[in-house]
Amino acid sequence: MLEIKNLTKIYEGGVKALDKVSFNVEKWEFLAVIGLSGSGKSTLLRCINRLVEPTEGQILWNGVDLTKASQDEMRHIRRKIGMVFQQFNLVSRSKVITNVLAGRLGYVNPVMSLFNRFPQEDLKMALKEMDRVGIANQAYKRADELSGGQQQRVGIARAMMQDPEIILADEPVASLDPVLAHSIMQYLEKINSEEGVMVICSLHFLDLVHRYADRAIALNEGKLMFDGSPKDIDDVKFKEIYGKEAERIG
Amino acid sequence: MKAPRTLLKSIGIGVAVIVILVVYAYGFRVTKVNFKETRSEDRLIVLARILRALAHPDIIEYEQEETDVYLPFFLPCPEVEVVIQKPDKSRPYLTSSVSCGDSKETIFLEGFNFEPGSKGPINFITASDVKLQLGNFEADSEGHFQLDIRLPTRQPVAEAQTIRATARVNVGAPKFTETAKATWDKIIETIFLALLATTIGTALAIPVSFLAARNLMTEVKSSLTSIAFTIIGWPLGIFFGYWANRLISEWSSPIASHLIGTIATVIVAPILAYMLIRWALPQEELGVPKKTLQAARMITLALSVVIMILMLQQAALLAFKLGQVLIDPLGPFGFLGNFVSQLGDVIQIITPLIVALIGGGALGSITSTFGQNISDRLAGNTVKIINLISAAAAGALLFALIGAVINWFYQIDNPAAIYYWPAGMGALIGLILALMSTAKDPLPIGITVYFIMRTILNAIRSVEPLVMVIVFVAWVGIGPFAGALALSLHTIAALAKLYSEQVESILPGPLEAITATGANRLQTIMYAVVPQIIPPYISFTMYRWDINVRMSTIIGFAGGGGIGFLLQQNINLLAYRAASAQMSPSPLLWLQWIM
């Protein structure tokens, strides 16, 4: 179980990206994070694996406070937290398989990994994960030769290589077309339901939230505005989250 | 609407124009601009001569055949008429309009039956065999030439003197001149000098460029405890490493004295070290290992490092001996033996350095982790006290070391001035830093290293390679080796700057993604940074090679070997045709043609 308590992040320059955000996520849960651009969704996700250092508050995961962990401890913890990005963040000049294997870097012998040597089991695992997302036949292509949807699947395979207990997905479908968006979301849903991986996913479209999320939280200017079932987002709640001028679409 | 032009604005423009004129006027004075000189007759003649010489590089020459043709001539005319024999018309011969004449008189000279296209000088040979040049001729396609010549001023002589035409013809195939051959040798030398300098420079510039890249270094932050412990750990580690290397080399001297022992060590040691490392660094680790296991692994790693050092020493020795033995049997390929031997020597030289650095790095990182653990685990006040002590010690150590370096240059040799005062000051700065900072706050050590690195690089880059050559010539003697070392040093600084700017311009996304997988810093650089920077690194390296070839021409002037050495000699000897031979096929041209 992941407990976020009074999480606050103030960037240099005084911008308050998160303001005393508190919520819990159960294991097995698919949590959607919604809100306008700049509302603090990305910061929230990056605070959980401490790519961004939180200013205040606690992140308790199975009773361990991640904000107190040292650099070394954090590296160990990050191995169990996979991350998927809006811009995929693949190393475009490397092969697909290298990108996928990079998910194992936290586990393997650091010296051997510098020479691009990975254990046989990891290679097998990489092929299995690529097969799961349907890109096994692209393994030896360069990552930038792939289409957007395929690249995001490489991103998911990389995250799954970490054998994660949590997947943080930062707007994973925002730069994909609606059809691809659904296929990517279905992979995440499958991982959540079959492997029992907690998924925390920031999303823009409410229909995706309704379709895939067990629960949703909403941020507006760093404040938690809503925490509950996606079905409970009515017109009043909607205007609270997205502002008075917002219109519902889709 | 037209903006009204104020008086003030007009005056401003006027003043600006006057200031600019004055600046240029002063510039003319300072640079001693003198256009009268450019029209001077003498200068123009010299200029034409030099330009023509430069346009005729001394590269190709022919074997020449000389034929002398004589014509008796009286200067001045004798009292008695002399009958001159009719020339033999089957061979080349000269005729003149008159058979005698006075000084400074102009006569008309014709030549027949010469080798078509042959050319050469026409000389007046006096009775006392003095040669005076009258002019040059060039025979036409029928072997005929005609020209007016002016008789020289001579004392009157009774007997006949001689006008001689020396006809020169090129025979045989063209061949390269000695200058061309020497130039070719030096071109090869220059290109390889540049290649070595570029290789060494690139190899060292790559790691340095990461330290001088802002985006990689800003994230590196450490607590004061960790920094202070690292500063203490590094010099101690370097010392221990140096000492360990000597100890191992002394201890292994019985092995080194037998060839078989050396060979056996070179073969067995790497296998043993590999096995030990494979055990100490397991392929994959899912959990956190126990303390005892960690300790055992550390000891194993240390042991394997000792074995590696031993291997390195013995390998260097073996390569050195083997190379020496190989030079003679290999004949023309003896340079390969010399290469092996020199490599062995290089390893011998740098082994203590590498081992010292490994020692420094190992102890530095151990003390760094230790310091970080203290900072993470202990209470704030305890950390503060440890900070005060360790920061003072680190400051004192650092400043005393700097003092020692300064003393080496300036030979002050006064312990109070070079050790005690700086150490005291360093301790004070450390104390102040420890007092001012909050005990556990991470300090931006990365950006500090970045600024220090940048400063050092800028300082090295601003020193002309010419000056560096002077220093290296003093160290390794005149020749291309000194040039290669000087260019290497300059290449490190220049490339590290260019490289680090490439690192700064990479996409941050992959870096973030790899960090998120739990990879350590080195892995992140290897997987997220390196693939992005390979293409610009290659192009910058090629560009630098290009620059180094050009620069190696210049450093030859200061004794750095290469083509510049010849060029300078010939320019000083006013041998412009030879100098042109070295300039026209400028090594750069050759290089670019090859690539």
Side-chain angles (χ1 to χ4, degrees):
Chain A
M1 180 164 125
L2 189 68
E3 295 166 75
I4 312 282
K5 288 184 180 165
N6 290 327
L7 195 65
T8 303
K9 171 66 191 177
I10 304 168
Y11 281 107
E12 275 172 54
V15 179
K16 212 170 206 179
L18 292 177
D19 190 2
K20 297 212 168 104
V21 174
S22 303
F23 62 92
N24 296 341
V25 198
E26 294 296 331
K27 212 178 166 186
W28 295 91
E29 212 165 11
F30 193 123
L31 179 79
V33 185
I34 56 173
L36 291 169
S37 298
S39 60
K41 301 190 298 292
S42 292
T43 305
L44 174 65
L45 293 183
R46 281 169 174 71
C47 277
I48 293 173
N49 64 358
R50 273 187 47 201
L51 286 179
V52 169
E53 287 294 332
T55 314
E56 261 174 52
Q58 282 180 311
I59 303 166
L60 295 173
W61 186 29
N62 300 334
V64 180
D65 187 356
L66 301 191
T67 59
K68 295 280 189 303
S70 73
Q71 298 272 349
D72 275 344
E73 286 163 352
M74 201 57 223
R75 266 208 295 279
H76 264 95
I77 294 164
R78 275 185 194 143
R79 306 194 304 192
K80 286 288 175 190
I81 307 177
M83 195 156 187
V84 179
F85 302 85
Q86 179 184 357
Q87 299 300 335
F88 324 132
N89 287 356
L90 303 183
V91 182
S92 55
R93 291 182 44 82
S94 294
K95 288 194 195 107
V96 169
I97 182 124
T98 313
N99 271 291
V100 174
L101 281 169
R104 285 310 279 179
L105 285 176
Y107 294 96
V108 297
N109 177 344
V111 180
M112 297 302 276
S113 74
L114 294 185
F115 300 103
N116 214 350
R117 312 291 304 167
F118 285 89
Q120 281 301 318
E121 306 88 75
D122 285 357
L123 282 170
K124 278 190 204 125
M125 185 177 175
L127 288 172
K128 202 188 91 200
E129 291 301 338
M130 282 189 283
D131 202 33
R132 188 212 295 269
V133 290
I135 48 162
N137 52 348
Q138 317 277 356
Y140 292 95
K141 278 192 183 169
R142 256 173 63 157
D144 55 1
E145 288 173 29
L146 269 53
S147 67
Q150 287 172 325
Q151 290 198 23
Q152 191 58 296
R153 288 188 247 168
V154 177
I156 291 175
R158 174 172 66 192
M160 286 308 290
M161 286 297 282
Q162 291 175 235
D163 193 15
E165 289 169 24
I166 304 178
I167 282 193
L168 305 171
D170 184 17
E171 295 182 23
V173 297
S175 40
L176 299 175
D177 66 49
V179 180
L180 282 175
H182 275 289
S183 95
I184 294 294
M185 289 308 293
Q186 275 156 17
Y187 285 124
L188 288 178
E189 187 186 39
K190 212 162 112 188
I191 288 162
N192 171 249
S193 58
E194 287 174 10
E195 310 275 323
V197 178
M198 178 195 299
V199 176
I200 304 178
C201 179
S202 66
L203 285 170
H204 270 309
F205 290 104
L206 275 179
D207 59 336
L208 292 177
V209 177
H210 285 295
R211 165 78 179 71
Y212 296 103
D214 302 326
R215 213 176 102 214
I217 59 169
L219 291 173
N220 189 350
E221 291 182 351
K223 288 197 177 69
L224 191 70
M225 303 302 286
F226 174 84
D227 183 350
S229 166
K231 280 172 277 179
D232 299 337
I233 304 177
D234 52 18
D235 282 355
V236 182
K237 278 283 171 204
F238 181 82
K239 287 210 188 290
E240 260 177 47
I241 299 165
Y242 287 102
K244 287 198 175 63
E245 278 87 52
E247 296 273 344
R248 273 187 103 138
I249 45 163
Chain B
M1 198 186 86
K2 203 176 160 191
R5 188 158 205 175
T6 60
L7 182 67
L8 208 64
K9 198 173 172 187
S10 299
I11 292 175
I13 291 172
V15 168
V17 170
I18 290 171
V19 166
I20 290 168
L21 281 178
V22 168
V23 165
Y24 278 97
Y26 190 71
F28 268 48
R29 204 192 88 171
V30 172
T31 47
K32 300 203 172 79
V33 174
N34 184 352
F35 284 102
K36 196 175 146 210
E37 201 69 29
T38 63
R39 293 190 302 271
S40 142
E41 191 98 349
D42 297 345
R43 300 275 181 186
L44 286 178
I45 291 171
V46 173
L47 178 69
R49 213 184 68 217
I50 290 176
L51 287 180
R52 281 174 195 151
L54 287 179
H56 292 90
D58 183 16
I59 296 175
I60 288 170
E61 63 180 4
Y62 290 89
E63 203 82 61
Q64 284 191 322
E65 206 164 66
E66 278 189 4
T67 326
D68 286 341
V69 182
Y70 301 94
L71 176 72
F73 197 86
F74 291 92
L75 183 82
C77 283
E79 271 112 53
V80 217
E81 184 78 26
V82 197
V83 184
I84 291 177
Q85 290 176 337
K86 288 280 177 199
D88 177 0
K89 294 203 172 175
S90 63
R91 303 180 52 196
Y93 66 95
L94 291 168
T95 62
S96 65
S97 52
V98 288
S99 62
C100 64
D102 287 321
S103 291
K104 294 189 177 176
E105 198 182 316
T106 303
I107 63 163
F108 178 66
L109 196 71
E110 268 190 290
F112 299 93
N113 279 350
F114 277 78
E115 192 75 30
S118 64
K119 50 188 170 180
I122 293 180
N123 291 311
F124 189 87
I125 314 285
T126 66
S128 52
D129 251 359
V130 175
K131 194 172 78 178
L132 302 163
Q133 181 149 12
L134 299 174
N136 286 300
F137 74 89
E138 185 170 354
D140 61 19
S141 55
E142 277 145 25
H144 170 254
F145 71 86
Q146 55 185 45
L147 76 165
D148 291 318
I149 56 170
R150 202 162 169 231
L151 294 173
T153 321
R154 295 299 300 173
Q155 293 290 322
V157 178
E159 69 258 41
Q161 300 177 64
T162 318
I163 292 176
R164 185 182 73 189
T166 309
R168 289 178 185 150
V169 197
N170 293 339
V171 290
K175 57 176 193 177
F176 288 113
T177 58
E178 283 306 310
T179 317
K181 286 175 195 161
T183 306
W184 174 251
D185 281 352
K186 288 290 178 185
I187 287 171
I188 298 294
E189 191 179 296
T190 307
I191 289 175
F192 279 96
L193 187 163
L195 175 69
L196 282 192
T198 313
T199 313
I200 299 172
T202 307
L204 292 174
I206 289 173
V208 172
S209 71
F210 293 130
L211 293 179
R214 199 186 189 108
N215 56 341
L216 295 185
M217 297 306 281
T218 36
E219 287 161 31
V220 180
K221 286 181 180 169
S222 259
S223 65
L224 183 62
T225 330
S226 170
I227 296 169
F229 273 66
T230 314
I231 292 175
I232 298 169
W234 262 90
L236 283 179
I238 287 176
F239 174 74
F240 281 133
Y242 185 72
W243 175 74
N245 182 54
R246 277 188 50 186
L247 204 71
I248 293 169
S249 126
E250 274 169 27
W251 169 77
S252 66
S253 58
I255 304 176
S257 57
H258 299 289
L259 190 62
I260 299 166
T262 308
I263 294 173
T265 314
V266 171
I267 295 170
V268 174
I271 299 171
L272 196 62
Y274 179 76
M275 278 163 30
L276 288 177
I277 290 175
R278 278 313 283 267
W279 181 80
L281 299 172
Q283 275 214 320
E284 219 162 358
E285 198 147 41
L286 301 177
V288 183
K290 278 190 202 128
K291 291 276 175 224
T292 45
L293 187 62
Q294 274 186 331
R297 281 177 179 169
M298 292 293 274
I299 292 165
T300 318
L301 275 183
L303 189 65
S304 63
V305 166
V306 169
I307 293 172
M308 296 278 262
I309 295 170
L310 182 69
M311 201 265 312
L312 212 57
Q313 286 173 349
Q314 299 298 321
L317 201 68
L318 187 66
F320 185 72
K321 283 183 187 164
L322 190 71
Q324 293 289 346
V325 173
L326 280 178
I327 291 177
D328 282 334
L330 279 177
F333 294 101
F335 68 92
L336 291 176
N338 183 49
F339 176 65
V340 172
S341 159
Q342 291 294 331
L343 276 188
D345 213 15
V346 167
I347 300 175
Q348 260 175 347
I349 292 171
I350 62 175
T351 303
L353 199 70
I354 293 174
V355 175
L357 283 180
I358 289 175
L363 201 61
S365 79
I366 290 171
T367 48
S368 160
T369 318
F370 184 61
Q372 193 64 49
N373 282 342
I374 289 178
S375 174
D376 287 343
R377 305 244 166 93
L378 299 184
N381 284 332
T382 326
V383 173
K384 188 101 184 167
I385 292 164
I386 295 173
N387 273 357
L388 283 173
I389 299 166
S390 60
L397 185 64
L398 195 63
F399 275 63
L401 283 176
I402 294 172
V405 172
I406 292 174
N407 182 47
W408 188 86
F409 277 106
Y410 295 100
Q411 296 178 292
I412 303 164
D413 287 335
N414 174 3
I418 55 167
Y419 296 123
Y420 307 150
W421 278 108
M425 223 161 71
L428 195 68
I429 291 174
L431 278 177
I432 292 171
L433 199 64
L435 280 174
M436 302 261 288
S437 62
T438 317
K440 294 184 172 190
D441 265 4
L443 299 180
I445 184 68
I447 206 76
T448 316
V449 171
Y450 160 83
F451 276 118
I452 294 171
M453 222 56 217
R454 278 279 158 127
T455 314
I456 294 174
L457 288 182
N458 286 343
I460 296 178
R461 216 150 31 93
S462 65
V463 177
E464 257 300 304
L466 265 180
V467 180
M468 295 181 185
V469 171
I470 295 170
V471 176
F472 280 108
V473 161
W475 189 12
V476 299
I478 289 180
F481 186 42
L485 290 178
L487 276 186
S488 304
L489 187 56
H490 198 258
T491 304
I492 295 170
L495 274 186
K497 169 96 158 65
L498 290 176
Y499 284 171
S500 62
E501 262 145 36
Q502 284 309 309
V503 175
E504 282 173 11
S505 70
I506 61 164
L507 294 174
L511 207 64
E512 192 182 31
I514 301 293
T515 312
T517 65
N520 67 26
R521 249 197 121 58
L522 209 55
Q523 287 173 319
T524 311
I525 288 176
M526 207 60 198
Y527 279 81
V529 181
V530 170
Q532 293 195 57
I533 54 176
I534 284 177
Y537 270 39
I538 290 175
S539 81
F540 276 128
T541 308
M542 294 309 271
Y543 173 56
R544 186 65 208 183
W545 189 17
D546 193 304
I547 292 178
N548 276 348
V549 171
R550 221 171 330 129
M551 275 222 228
S552 56
T553 311
I554 300 301
I555 57 165
F557 278 59
I563 204 164
F565 188 63
L566 274 187
L567 188 60
Q568 185 205 24
Q569 264 183 354
N570 284 320
I571 289 175
N572 288 347
L573 291 171
L574 304 181
Y576 291 105
R577 284 195 62 200
S580 170
Q582 278 120 41
M583 279 187 268
S584 57
S586 143
L588 187 60
L589 224 69
W590 288 90
L591 183 68
Q592 282 167 349
W593 179 71
I594 292 165
M595 294 194 303

